[in-house]
Amino acid sequence: MQVLRPISSNDFAALKTIAVESGHGFTSLPVDDELLASKIQRSQESFDKTLSTPSDEGYLFVLEDLETGEISGTTAIEAAVGMQIPLYHYHQGKTVHHSSTLKVYNTVDILSMCNDYTGSSEICTLFLREQFRRGLAGRFLSRIRFLFMAEHTERFSDRVIAEMRGVSDEHGHSPFWQWLQEHFFSIEFPQADHLVGLGDKVFISELMPKYPIYANLLSPEAQAVIGHVHEKTKPALRLLEKEGFEHRGYVDLFDAGPTVEARLENIRTVRETQNGTLTISEQVTEGENTWALSNGRLETFRATFTTSVVWNEQSKTFTVDPKTAQALQLKEGDKVSGFVL
């Protein structure tokens, strides 16, 4: 049985392994011991805080196999982005060049740098190690974050965003960045990507063009990838779209990958979540549906997914076997919430 829980200092080695395996473009987990340790510490401090409004907190979770103790993946939530370090995006817009005298009317796509998502909550750092990419583990890692947010709404914004990895080749080079590098920068994309992961974003405001960029002036290769995701990111994007996330024209500064957004209360998982009390039985048979279940707590948050669940709509009860109850650290009569994966 796999259980999602808040990360602890004992998970450092596993987190570093995930950082190495995640590769280029996964800026939220750079291979840097000091930064990874600080992420763990920040997460622990975030879970320990008493809050009524979101600020600069980050909640980092790991997925653990209870039998082997092996960490198979990670997922995270940023409570309010851009509050300490500015969060930059390009917004896709249009401008019109019109001359009635010459009877010319041209519509041109432009990219304008902005900080429009400041204060939004962000889901991020979802990575499932390759040998564990089977079954519903990846879907669970993605959707369970919304349940956690719905259970602790005072800690999060009502607008949730996700920055999707843009197009790059096997060496980590981005066609979009290639054009920016030629005209405004002198560093390679992997280096810029690494600096962002380290939290060093000063160079963005120093070197990025301050005025809107005419998209038709970019190279054909750069234009072709604006708003598109990396091949390996397509399944994650499809999953978020099913949850109700939409792309509204915001793209990443470096690889032009899309940022998608949704209102927390409109997210499918939040709308479909059932809340009830727990009953425990040795005779729970496997059902047709796989349920994701959560104990609804904060510092001792636990969540898992299993087919050994019986949901009674009338009595508002979840019946599970002792193994599942133990994994969730729950006893008979405790509150529990869940949704069908």
Side-chain angles (χ1 to χ4, degrees):
M1 178 168 283
Q2 297 186 79
V3 170
L4 191 78
R5 59 168 174 79
I7 198 167
S8 72
S9 54
N10 294 331
D11 299 314
F12 174 81
L15 186 65
K16 185 172 182 180
T17 297
I18 290 173
V20 171
E21 293 179 1
S22 61
H24 295 297
F26 204 76
T27 56
S28 57
L29 281 183
V31 184
D32 182 282
D33 286 7
E34 185 176 348
L35 185 62
L36 292 176
S38 69
K39 281 183 174 291
I40 294 174
Q41 182 179 352
R42 177 169 174 255
S43 177
Q44 291 174 316
E45 292 172 351
S46 297
F47 278 103
D48 289 340
K49 288 182 181 179
T50 300
L51 298 168
S52 57
T53 57
S55 53
D56 187 39
E57 292 85 40
Y59 303 89
L60 184 57
F61 306 85
V62 290
L63 187 63
E64 178 184 7
D65 187 309
L66 291 183
E67 293 183 3
T68 65
E70 192 167 15
I71 302 300
S72 58
T74 182
T75 193
I77 312 167
E78 286 292 321
V81 293
M83 305 300 286
Q84 299 294 325
I85 301 174
L87 179 70
Y88 297 99
H89 284 90
Y90 275 132
H91 184 254
Q92 296 172 276
K94 293 182 182 297
T95 187
V96 173
H97 294 261
H98 174 234
S99 171
S100 57
T101 304
L102 299 177
K103 297 182 179 180
V104 172
Y105 187 98
N106 291 323
T107 301
V108 181
D109 293 328
I110 59 172
L111 298 172
S112 303
M113 195 164 71
C114 66
N115 307 105
D116 291 356
Y117 279 132
T118 298
S120 300
S121 294
E122 181 186 6
I123 54 169
C124 55
T125 322
L126 191 159
F127 188 80
L128 186 63
R129 300 177 65 194
E130 190 167 354
Q131 63 266 42
F132 299 99
R133 293 175 189 172
R134 58 183 181 273
L136 297 174
R139 185 183 302 181
F140 171 75
L141 279 176
S142 179
R143 297 186 66 187
I144 198 64
R145 297 175 291 192
F146 306 131
L147 179 54
F148 180 82
M149 296 171 78
E151 292 168 333
H152 306 283
T153 54
E154 73 281 358
R155 292 175 172 264
F156 302 101
S157 168
D158 62 349
R159 182 164 67 173
V160 185
I161 67 171
E163 295 184 307
M164 311 306 293
R165 182 178 176 182
V167 176
S168 61
D169 63 21
E170 65 274 14
H171 303 294
H173 296 113
S174 160
F176 186 79
W177 176 263
Q178 185 66 36
W179 184 87
L180 287 174
Q181 179 189 349
E182 290 176 3
H183 295 277
F184 301 100
F185 295 86
S186 300
I187 58 175
E188 296 287 339
F189 175 71
Q191 183 182 355
D193 210 35
H194 183 68
L195 287 173
V196 171
L198 295 176
D200 183 1
K201 299 183 181 181
V202 175
F203 74 96
I204 296 175
S205 59
E206 291 175 336
L207 298 178
M208 275 289 181
K210 305 298 187 297
Y211 301 101
I213 295 175
Y214 281 61
N216 60 343
L217 299 181
L218 275 64
S219 67
E221 294 79 10
Q223 293 182 51
V225 300
I226 296 175
H228 294 275
V229 297
H230 192 280
E231 192 66 30
K232 292 183 178 180
T233 307
K234 288 182 178 179
L237 178 59
R238 286 194 294 267
L239 186 57
L240 289 177
E241 289 173 339
K242 289 180 180 178
E243 290 290 319
F245 280 75
E246 297 177 331
H247 179 219
R248 296 186 175 173
Y250 293 91
V251 299
D252 185 78
L253 290 189
F254 301 140
D255 60 18
T259 291
V260 293
E261 65 173 275
R263 292 289 172 182
L264 180 58
E265 67 271 16
N266 294 334
I267 294 174
R268 173 191 167 197
T269 294
V270 176
R271 291 186 285 106
E272 294 182 356
T273 293
Q274 302 286 351
N275 299 295
T277 56
L278 190 74
T279 61
I280 302 173
S281 172
E282 296 279 0
Q283 283 77 43
V284 180
T285 56
E286 290 190 4
E288 294 182 359
N289 295 321
T290 299
W291 282 81
L293 299 176
S294 159
N295 63 11
R297 297 171 185 166
L298 186 62
E299 305 96 326
T300 56
F301 176 81
R302 295 292 185 277
T304 190
F305 57 102
T306 176
T307 56
S308 299
V309 179
V310 176
W311 164 246
N312 189 308
E313 179 69 33
Q314 291 185 329
S315 63
K316 299 294 182 183
T317 57
F318 285 98
T319 302
V320 303
D321 57 29
K323 182 180 179 181
T324 301
Q326 184 179 8
L328 294 171
Q329 300 182 354
L330 294 175
K331 62 182 184 302
E332 185 91 14
D334 282 345
K335 298 294 183 182
V336 65
S337 55
F339 58 87
V340 176
L341 272 178

